[in-house]
Amino acid sequence: MVALTPVRAASPKEVYPGVWRFTFGTPEKITPVATRHYPPAAAGFAGLPDAGRCPIDVTATISERGILVHAPLANGEMLYGLGLQLQSFQQRGLKKRLRVNADPARDTGDSHAPVPFYVTTRGYGVFVDTARYATFYMGNKRRKGAPPNAPTEVLAEVPEAAGVDVYVFGGPTLRQAVQRYNLFSGGGPLPPRWGLGCWYRGEKDYSQSNVLSLAAEFREQRMPCDVLGLEPGWQTHAYSCSYVWSSRFPDPGTMLHELAALHFRLNLWEHAFVNPASPIYSALKPYSGDYEVWGGLVPDFLDPQARSIFADFHDREHIALGVSGYKADECDNSDFTGNWSFPEISRFPSGADGEQMHSLFGLRYQDALTQSFEKRKQRTYGLVRSSGALAAPYPYVLYSDLYDHRQFVRGVAQEGFSGLLWTPEVRDSSNSVELIRRLESTVFSPLAIINAWYLRNPPWKQVNRRDNNAGKFAPDWEKTEAQCRSILELRMKFVPLLHAAFVRYNREGLPPFRALVMDYPGDSGSRTVDDEYIMGDGVLVAPVIVAGAPGSHDPELPPVAADGETTRSVYLPPGEWQDFWTGEKHRGQQRIEVRVPLERIPLFVKSGVVLPLAEPTLDTDDPQSRKLTVMVFGDGREAATLFEDDGASPPTLSPVTISWHAAEKTGTVSGAATYQVEKWVQIPATP
């Protein structure tokens, strides 16, 4: 029998207001906290209510297997988090081994972004500071002899370690526990305004002329777009990477100048594995692991020298020309399925083994990519395939093409529990209806992106890959294009609200996209809703989920008419809610059935909210995008706060308060410099 020896901890130390650290044994030197780049956003804690005393007493035992953390649970307590868990939502009763893996075949804990942090409906969170593949038993194991109704516990086994730090985050509510975790991580990122616009990634072998032609087409056809992305073909070598412009791009500086004149930014695909042909290969060789991936080096990004070599080259060859950011692909892992990436038996000069490096690689890779932007005092926004603990400050959004639409939407609800951002990007679509429904989902997410890496022409012209690449367009493609344009314009209308939500994330740790249970933890009906979420303040988003590529044939999905109209069951949490499109009022704490025409994503606004919407423009640089139509729902008692942003890093942010005075039926704006209210629209609460 394995002997379990209790490990005594000193009294928990309150390291920040409402944040306590338990130290057991001798923690490892390589952990998320020990290798963090961003310090805690200490100032933000002052805005949170007093959390009182540490809500739970954490204990630990040690054996030859490692250290086992014990955290008590009350009966009925529900658990959320553990990172980007796309195959489940509520975690109580499950076992999860938090392992970095891109291809989770089952709901076992494998994830692009596993995070050893969970929160509960009792209003606290627990973070186990480890880079090991920890196994969490989420209240599903009971000791021999325990009464059937006795409280149980969360067990977190950290293999190989002789000690660990455990942090407890007080509330008093679930939402405030999440805020404390995010502030401890460093606070949320503040993307540049262009990052909150619309994105499009072109076909993998696009050339310089293809990119410029696409940019001109988008402007001529009045398709909103702020960022164009290049896939692997922009480099001389990819899989592994050279980071050198290929012959398809003979004059990238001129291309970037021409794109900037049209108000486009450029984002570059890459991964971290360095091809022997790369100019930085020799310099990085001493600072890399002992196994290759796709014939390339694996940089030891825990070493500041490796990060600097990597960052300085990117700065000279890309960022200095005007590149705005990166898509950091395949920095996760795929061992049992795709069988690529470095093995856990790897060794790195920093002292990390492959297991620890996998847990930290996505974050330290992001450190290397952002280093030059930080030196230039320039904001960026990008995409990444792997992240992890303490990720809240990073301006990178997780993505993948390995899940069905339902899981894509669940990711937006899930992300807020663990300090992550996720986009249900538009990639595969089997028909135009699915294209539109998927586009509706992505425009109400942290990053609104169409990833057309295998299509020569935009998907609204033809969703079928073979016909699209042969130039055979659908007979009614102009109609589909107009429908997609309308959806992209809807995203542009919400940019001011999204920007304000990210300011709150940065300052207060409040995620811009949140599951219903985070705002309504006491409402039993909200606790299992994983296909809706709150965006900003008071906007409920309920995407219409469709069956189709890549993958699902879900019998629970409603039938879709030939014109795309369907019905959607929507759960409304406590309060009064109004349909964004019709103004119809509904009481909360009930499910309603709504009919949903093809171009109408179900949106509900809490009665009393003042909702400023921007003039939809082709890009966020356009001064017309600061012109607002203010929708006043009900009595408009909840004033809206936007922020003037000078675009610098760090930014100067000036609040703009937009208020409605119901008695006088007038609105006022204070603090605005560039924002202008063009119209006030009162949406009465119709029954």
Side-chain angles (χ1 to χ4, degrees), residues 398-528:
L398 289 154
Y399 67 95
S400 177
D401 60 339
L402 298 172
Y403 307 99
D404 63 28
H405 194 196
R406 182 181 292 279
Q407 292 167 325
F408 266 33
V409 172
R410 180 182 291 135
V412 184
Q414 272 276 27
E415 65 185 48
F417 294 123
S418 303
L420 303 171
L421 299 172
W422 163 260
T423 175
E425 64 172 27
V426 178
R427 197 178 295 207
D428 289 312
S429 298
S430 57
N431 52 56
S432 60
V433 170
E434 184 182 358
L435 170 67
I436 289 167
R437 290 306 190 191
R438 285 179 176 266
L439 186 59
E440 290 172 347
S441 299
T442 195
V443 299
F444 287 98
S445 83
L447 197 151
I449 184 169
I450 298 170
N451 185 357
W453 68 272
Y454 59 76
L455 296 178
R456 299 292 294 176
N457 301 285
W460 44 79
K461 292 186 174 181
Q462 174 62 263
V463 298
N464 179 274
R465 181 188 306 199
R466 182 179 60 187
D467 289 348
N468 184 299
N469 292 334
K472 298 178 181 178
F473 299 158
D476 59 347
W477 72 264
E478 291 96 340
K479 176 184 177 182
T480 304
E481 180 188 60
Q483 292 169 322
C484 291
R485 182 188 297 111
S486 176
I487 297 166
L488 295 174
E489 288 175 345
L490 187 60
R491 169 68 175 208
M492 301 302 285
K493 290 181 180 181
F494 277 90
V495 166
L497 178 145
L498 287 166
H499 178 266
F502 270 97
V503 172
R504 288 197 71 183
Y505 193 24
N506 179 263
R507 293 178 169 182
E508 304 172 22
L510 181 65
F513 292 85
R514 307 183 295 281
L516 271 58
V517 68
M518 195 178 298
D519 283 18
Y520 303 95
D523 175 38
S524 60
S526 295
R527 292 185 172 185
T528 57

Side-chain angles (χ1 to χ4, degrees), residues 3-146:
L4 297 175
T5 304
V7 182
R8 295 184 65 84
S11 298
K13 180 180 180 181
E14 190 170 17
V15 292
Y16 290 93
V19 181
W20 294 269
R21 183 180 65 223
F22 293 76
T23 298
F24 301 101
T26 304
E28 294 189 290
K29 293 182 179 179
I30 296 175
T31 72
V33 170
T35 61
R36 68 188 301 160
H37 173 64
Y38 294 98
F45 288 98
L48 297 177
D50 184 9
R53 304 173 69 178
C54 187
I56 59 170
D57 183 29
V58 181
T59 59
T61 52
I62 194 165
S63 73
E64 59 266 36
R65 292 175 56 90
I67 192 160
L68 182 63
V69 175
H70 305 250
L73 278 180
N75 291 330
E77 194 171 357
M78 299 184 77
L79 308 176
Y80 304 88
L82 300 183
L84 193 69
Q85 300 293 328
L86 293 184
Q87 300 188 50
S88 59
F89 181 67
Q90 201 284 125
Q91 302 298 316
R92 180 150 188 168
L94 303 181
K95 173 187 174 183
K96 295 291 176 74
R97 186 175 183 231
L98 300 186
R99 192 176 72 105
V100 179
N101 184 33
D103 305 309
R106 302 234 184 271
D107 187 23
T108 59
D110 281 3
S111 171
H112 304 270
V115 180
F117 171 73
Y118 67 88
V119 289
T120 95
T121 49
R122 278 186 60 207
Y124 67 89
V126 177
F127 169 54
V128 181
D129 181 30
T130 182
R132 296 291 176 191
Y133 293 166
T135 299
F136 281 73
Y137 300 86
M138 305 298 282
N140 59 337
K141 301 300 175 186
R142 189 175 298 279
R143 290 188 177 277
K144 182 172 61 177

